[in-house]
Amino acid sequence: MNLFIVESPTKAKSIAKYLGNGWVVRATLGHIKDLPERELGVDIKTLEPKYVWLKGKKKIVDGIKKAAKKAKKIYLGTDPDREGEAIAYFLKEELLKVNTSIYRATFYEITKKAITEAIGGASDINLNLVSAQFSRRVLDRLIGYKLSPFLWRDLKERGLSVGRVQSPTLRLIVERERQIQNFKRKKYYYIKAEFVVDGVEFSAVFKQRFEKPSNAEPFMKKLKDVMFVVKSVSKEMQKEPPPKPFNTVSLQAEASKILGISVDKVQKMAQKLYEEGLITYPRTDSYRMNKEKAQEFMKYIERTYGKDYVGRLRKYKEKALAWGAHECIRPTSLDKKPESVLELKLWSLISSRALASLSSDAIREKFFVVLLALSDHTLEFTAEGSKLVFDGWTRIYPKEVKDRALPHLEEGQVIKPKRIYIEEVEVPPPPRYTEGSLVRTLENLGIGRPSTYATIIKTLKDRGYVVLEKGYLKPTEMAFKVVDYLMEKFPNLMDYGFTKYMEDNLDAVEEGKKDWKEVVRESYRRVLNAKE
DNA sequence: CAGTGAGCGAGCTTCCGCTTGACTT
């Protein structure tokens, strides 16, 4: 008998099916060891971490140990990334006590082929990856546990917190609020001309924008009872490529918007769909899709919508970190659907998005018309129109874009406006973040990971830093104080590029170019550098 | 005798990231 160990019990089930008789597959349920919660757990002089059993994990690993005793070979199939490598490292440390035949197997998708290849090519733990995890973990602990007390002391409130992720995130929310508070109402004025030609209504706008309506008045006088001549008509075809399939962030943002629920709820529902075997792994930053599945989906598109709607499997530029474990979020099969109404809505959203990503471009025809006042050719107006000439992917994943109709116009044609008027346009202040837009911003900045995006928001709420108001995140008084304090005292931590700086250093550790403790020391010094 | 400071004990807040299931409300 051989033993195969993964993180997720759902994966364990699938893999057990592929491997068949002679194999036992077990799951760790994520990390098994971590720094102790109630103390720093890091020797501040040597930076030596103290990893202890996570609650309930000793029991799980004891169970795995029992199986390991009887196993011929043991394969550590935890996720192929920093955190997964650390789990494998601690597993090996324990399992060596009962069996020395231990191998590290990595795979990037759960197919029979990928698993078989992983077993064939199994090797040993990558200690550089493990070291990078230590760096990340210890640095986060130092920042969290050493800096939070500053807030308790100086802001005289208990329960406040500082973190590499949460604090810059809070800064985003607070800075946006300040932009809104300091926003100067600004209005602009446009001159518009309305026409009806062949029963089609359209409007054209004067090339110049005015700060005050009185500035537009002299032009309005000149435009009294004026006729227009069509100077030029042009058009161009525009391709609209399909959207990418979902990853964690885009699913959270899109589903919370469309279904009107929190990103936390989206994530919990997605987890349930995953456990029921209806979708792929829901915590991923990748847009990759399994080739065979993509082929199958494209055949479905051809059967259902016709050949013209079949696109191709596109390659997307992935963030460096998205190299990791999992493909995009997609249905496992188009026939297996959930029963509950809300879950079905989410599943359908995921399915149609995955299908749309494999569908053809939509094609839009855009028109541009230039009109001149017949009496004075310096008075130039323009009109734009557009029309969807081929719906492509938008047939599968609806996108709301209205056509703007223009009548057929010939150069030199003279037309009479129905009316000419001044339109007031007020520039709106920037909006507060929604949970979805915040999570999108974090992903773009490289802050946080797919497994934590939803909990970051929860932490900010729990600390009393933000409240949800009509679906938007609003910072509290305390949030302003905390951000101002941290910006003054630890500006390097509050820099949106800090995580990127850390990641670059972790990359160096992973490549064996830097010592992990040196990276912690340097980064932590950088955080403190401001004053203290 | 007032003021200072060493020493000691009580209370104990907090990080990010990996994964679910066992809790409570």
Side-chain angles (χ1 to χ4, degrees), chain A residues 46-60:
Chain A
T46 65
L47 293 184
E48 204 53 43
K50 173 173 146 192
Y51 276 95
V52 299
W53 287 110
L54 274 164
K55 218 174 105 200
K57 293 304 173 70
K58 177 139 186 4
K59 221 169 146 187
I60 290 172

Side-chain angles (χ1 to χ4, degrees), chain A residues 287-400:
Chain A
Y287 302 110
R288 268 184 303 123
M289 194 186 296
N290 173 280
K291 245 187 219 156
E292 284 75 30
K293 268 294 160 188
Q295 294 294 343
E296 179 191 323
F297 289 170
M298 285 191 280
K299 273 185 198 138
Y300 172 88
I301 294 171
E302 183 167 355
R303 275 202 312 276
T304 313
Y305 303 100
K307 216 170 70 197
D308 291 345
Y309 288 87
V310 180
R312 61 194 163 85
L313 179 58
R314 293 170 192 249
K315 284 221 166 80
Y316 304 102
K317 229 193 222 152
E318 303 268 5
K319 302 234 149 102
L321 281 166
W323 248 90
H326 308 281
E327 59 169 314
C328 69
I329 302 174
R330 58 160 176 85
T332 49
S333 151
L334 294 171
D335 309 318
K336 286 193 289 180
K337 300 178 189 183
E339 277 163 25
S340 100
V341 177
L342 198 57
E343 280 174 30
L344 181 62
K345 275 187 186 167
L346 184 66
W347 182 89
S348 305
L349 192 71
I350 294 169
S351 296
S352 51
R353 179 78 163 226
L355 288 174
S357 77
L358 299 165
S359 184
S360 48
D361 292 338
I363 297 170
R364 181 168 288 279
E365 194 170 33
K366 296 193 118 186
F367 310 92
F368 306 92
V369 175
V370 179
L371 302 167
L372 305 176
L374 200 54
S375 53
D376 179 350
H377 279 200
T378 62
L379 300 174
E380 187 178 301
F381 282 63
T382 55
E384 288 179 20
S386 77
K387 197 176 142 194
L388 197 63
V389 292
F390 178 63
D391 52 2
W393 63 269
T394 63
R395 179 152 168 209
I396 301 171
Y397 192 83
K399 183 191 172 202
E400 244 193 270

Side-chain angles (χ1 to χ4, degrees), chain A residues 36 90 150 154 182 187 192 196 258 293-294 297 349 359 364 367 424 443 451 492:
Chain A
F90 290 120
F150 280 98
D154 292 340
N182 299 333
K187 287 177 180 171
K192 274 195 162 177
V196 182
I258 290 179
K293 268 294 160 188
F297 289 170
L349 192 71
S359 184
R364 181 168 288 279
F367 310 92
E424 178 186 286
E443 186 190 41
S451 68
N492 288 336

